[in-house]
Amino acid sequence: MEPIKTHRDLKVYTKSFEAAMRIFVLSKSFPKEEAYSLTDQIRRSSRSVSSNISEAFRRRKYPKSFTNKLNESEAEAAKTQNWLDFAVACSYISQDDHETLNQEYENIIGMLVNMQRHPDKWSI
């Protein structure tokens, strides 16, 4: 396994970034009247997951700060799941896309929780 030098080397970062990009592509087809509500919210929360992971990585010198940023990332992932629920309920995305993305965010949340439980593995 390659050593982790930057946040981009973290599997959880990569997965969250890729999921956010899939949401971006899917949300391009949302109705124009959703531009400043659902579209904006789901894009912001999905992007915030990887953004908070990158910030947490740079705060790993301070375990409490590190775990706090990971917790914020976890909360943003859950918020993204909520917006995905609205998107499928409004028929903006398919049930298959919803299930796939929801499961990806469950995996991301699991990785974040694991990192929070063992901050000593990540501290410098």
Side-chain angles (χ1 to χ4, degrees):
M1 186 166 81
E2 292 290 318
I4 296 171
K5 295 178 183 173
T6 75
H7 62 276
R8 291 180 190 93
D9 298 327
L10 296 168
K11 187 175 182 178
V12 68
Y13 172 84
T14 303
K15 286 186 165 293
S16 63
F17 187 89
E18 290 170 356
M21 290 306 298
R22 278 197 293 284
I23 285 173
F24 174 75
V25 170
L26 283 172
S27 66
K28 284 181 176 183
S29 66
F30 288 6
K32 290 212 184 285
E33 62 266 17
E34 292 286 5
Y36 300 106
S37 52
L38 181 58
T39 305
D40 183 57
Q41 292 292 334
I42 198 167
R43 286 179 178 178
R44 283 176 183 256
S45 65
S46 66
R47 290 172 177 171
S48 187
V49 178
S50 57
S51 176
N52 281 311
I53 292 167
S54 64
E55 191 172 345
F57 186 79
R58 291 298 172 189
R59 292 183 180 211
R60 67 195 189 284
K61 185 186 295 186
Y62 309 102
K64 288 184 181 181
S65 183
F66 173 73
T67 56
N68 182 57
K69 286 315 272 184
L70 292 176
N71 184 260
E72 288 180 29
S73 186
E74 179 189 346
E76 292 294 334
K79 190 188 298 185
T80 301
Q81 288 177 308
N82 180 61
W83 294 124
L84 287 167
D85 292 345
F86 278 106
V88 75
C90 294
S91 300
Y92 300 155
I93 63 173
S94 70
Q95 188 66 40
D96 286 344
D97 285 333
H98 177 270
E99 288 176 21
T100 300
L101 283 163
N102 188 60
Q103 187 56 52
E104 286 194 34
Y105 277 99
E106 282 297 316
N107 292 336
I108 290 165
I109 289 169
M111 288 189 234
L112 291 168
V113 168
N114 192 40
M115 290 175 78
Q116 291 172 70
R117 287 184 181 155
H118 306 287
D120 51 303
K121 289 183 178 181
W122 304 96
S123 61
I124 53 172

